[in-house]
Amino acid sequence: MNRYEDRMARSLASVINVLDPDVIVLGGGLSNIALLYREVPPRLDAYVFSDTVSTPIVPARHGDSSGVRGAAWLWPGKS
């Protein structure tokens, strides 16, 4: 898990360096791993070009069902 958290921090730091998002939302099965929200943010400092990192990492509002819910909203003929 330690290696995964470090690689995730490196990946998200690349996103922060290029796009500078206001927030990063984790969806799918990742949103169910509570440990990531505690362990990954402190690791970002080592990989982000800025002096500080203020980009929060949050779970999707509807957890691992967010993608399915979004697809349902796109379906034609919904009420």
Side-chain angles (χ1 to χ4, degrees), residues 1-33:
M1 195 65 176
N2 187 40
R3 180 181 283 179
Y4 181 78
E5 292 162 359
D6 187 67
R7 290 185 178 173
M8 179 174 234
R10 287 176 186 235
S11 299
L12 294 179
S14 294
V15 171
I16 292 170
N17 288 332
V18 173
L19 300 176
D20 190 24
D22 292 327
V23 65
I24 293 176
V25 180
L26 300 181
L30 286 176
S31 63
N32 295 325
I33 306 174

Side-chain angles (χ1 to χ4, degrees), residues 42-75:
R43 296 172 185 244
L44 293 172
D45 290 331
Y47 305 112
V48 172
F49 295 146
S50 175
D51 292 336
T52 60
V53 180
S54 61
T55 306
I57 301 173
V58 300
R61 179 175 292 163
H62 301 291
D64 58 359
S65 298
S66 293
V68 174
R69 292 174 63 95
W73 277 100
L74 293 174
W75 188 262

